[in-house]
Amino acid sequence: MALTATPIPCLSDNYAWLLRAADGRLAVCDPAEDAPVAAVIDPMGGKLDLILLTHHHGDHVAGVPGLVARYGAKVVGAAADKHRLPPLDQAVSPGDTVDVLGSKAAVLASDGHTRGHIAFHIADSHILLCGDTLFSLGCGRLLEGTAEQMFASLAALAALPGETLVCCGHEYTESNARFAITVEPDNAALKARIAEAQAQRAAGKPTLPSTIASERAANPFVRAPDIATLAHIRAGKDNFR
Ligand code: ZN
Ligand code: FE
């Protein structure tokens, strides 16, 4: 029984991802705020079963207490980050499988942006919830982890089936695009993705979800052939204006 994933804009550029099962049950990943999420859930029946967390940053977890108080949702997050996440009902580790509204989600290690960052891959629904690890045309800043860890994380995510929907934590695609085109000025897939993202934004729509196939073809961080290259372009992006 497959799930659908819909982005809910939070703060200035975050997305919480609403997961809906065919029977109407709901889950949400990385709620930065409770009010925008509740505003979507209440007209849909006012129930929230589950909250999935990719990492501990406030712009991914600050909505949790309000949503738990309002709906009694169960909270799933990384065992390694238990000490700095909201209280967890289920602490998981890479390699574990989580039941998400009747679908199986594989917990993937995705260190790099933070240590202890995880991603959830729901294979039957072609959904990847990857927080601040993989963005469309970019990747997360290396705030705690190393380029080596980010390289391994991106490689694992890029190895997922091409049709997998990349449901990431931020609407960064256009700013990522401005840097990406300086790394790969002749990449036709990148140019096409930039045009697509510009049209999506001009129409007031999210540029997400992207797909793993699109990121493999157009994202210079995913396409970096080795750790040194990834470290180099990550540093370049950090200093890019
Ligand atoms: Zn973050
Ligand atoms: Fe974030």
Side-chain angles (χ1 to χ4, degrees), residues 189-221:
L190 173 56
K191 290 179 192 169
R193 173 60 177 140
I194 292 172
E196 177 191 47
Q198 286 170 341
Q200 288 166 322
R201 294 310 283 158
K205 292 179 185 159
T207 62
L208 301 163
S210 173
T211 64
I212 287 293
S214 172
E215 298 311 316
R216 270 188 222 139
N219 185 328
F221 296 87

Side-chain angles (χ1 to χ4, degrees), residues 144-231:
E144 295 178 358
T146 63
E148 187 171 9
Q149 287 173 323
M150 182 59 86
F151 185 83
S153 297
L154 293 177
L157 300 184
L160 296 173
E163 67 265 40
T164 305
L165 299 169
V166 176
C167 302
C168 56
H170 290 269
E171 181 58 68
Y172 286 164
T173 311
E174 282 193 300
S175 88
N176 287 339
R178 285 190 287 277
F179 175 75
I181 198 68
T182 70
V183 180
E184 293 197 56
D186 301 322
N187 182 330
L190 173 56
K191 290 179 192 169
R193 173 60 177 140
I194 292 172
E196 177 191 47
Q198 286 170 341
Q200 288 166 322
R201 294 310 283 158
K205 292 179 185 159
T207 62
L208 301 163
S210 173
T211 64
I212 287 293
S214 172
E215 298 311 316
R216 270 188 222 139
N219 185 328
F221 296 87
V222 169
R223 295 163 60 76
D226 52 46
I227 295 162
T229 305
L230 177 64

